[in-house]
Amino acid sequence: MRFYGIALLAGAAVLGACGGEKQPVADTTATATTTGAATTTTTTTTPDASAPAAGAAGAVAAAPATGTTHEVKMIGDAKGYRFEPAELTIKQGDAVKFIMVSGGPHNVAFLNLTDATTKAQLNANMPGQHMAEDSSPLLMQPNEAYTISFAKIPAGEYNYNCTPHAAMGMKGEIKVQ
Ligand SMILES: [Cu+2]
């Protein structure tokens, strides 16, 4: 399982690197709604890992959390791969602390960030070097934690998964009120 996950990640990294080249991306998404499809030009290819996620390219500053910090465990064991709790309701301004418990590496990769402003803010609120756009770094060791602020993130439902274990159903949802 572990090696499978790493192989997947390596693949994702390669894909990401290719996407970073300056070929014009012909967006041929079959969906009829082309609204906002062109707004994904905010490449998160921050080559400098030490740069704070806040602002190199984007001009969007990280918004620190002002409310409660909720905890979500990242687990992979005999019962399967999962986030606990998989569904969480929070308030805008709260933070979610993801804690690596077992079966890593795990990450948090948001799936449905269709609004460009929200996408930019949430990425700014995700510290450290992203392994891909909308994605946290990988957490490898037990008790490693990664906290995401939901300050300035509008109310809504935010679905995410773990990239290495997406195929195993490791996914969750954060509902911001
Ligand atoms: Cu995982």
Side-chain angles (χ1 to χ4, degrees), residues 81 105-107 162 164-165 170:
Y81 290 92
H106 301 298
N107 75 342
C162 165
H165 305 120
M170 186 168 175

Side-chain angles (χ1 to χ4, degrees), residues 27-141:
D27 196 334
T28 40
T29 11
T31 40
T33 41
T34 30
T35 24
T39 41
T40 30
T41 19
T42 36
T43 35
T44 29
T45 347
T46 329
D48 184 359
S50 63
V60 179
T66 52
T68 309
T69 297
H70 307 261
E71 292 187 351
V72 173
K73 295 187 172 87
M74 309 163 108
I75 303 173
D77 61 18
K79 287 191 234 163
Y81 290 92
R82 61 203 184 274
F83 291 98
E84 274 188 11
E87 291 183 13
L88 179 66
T89 300
I90 68 172
K91 293 194 160 45
Q92 188 186 64
D94 286 357
V96 180
K97 181 180 185 181
F98 291 89
I99 303 168
M100 155 71 195
V101 174
S102 56
H106 301 298
N107 75 342
V108 179
F110 289 96
L111 301 173
N112 57 352
L113 301 177
T114 48
D115 177 71
T117 307
T118 303
K119 183 186 184 81
Q121 185 65 62
L122 193 52
N123 274 279
N125 289 2
M126 296 170 77
Q129 189 181 33
H130 300 193
M131 55 176 276
E133 199 177 35
D134 307 336
S135 167
S136 78
L138 287 170
L139 303 192
M140 318 285 271
Q141 303 301 326

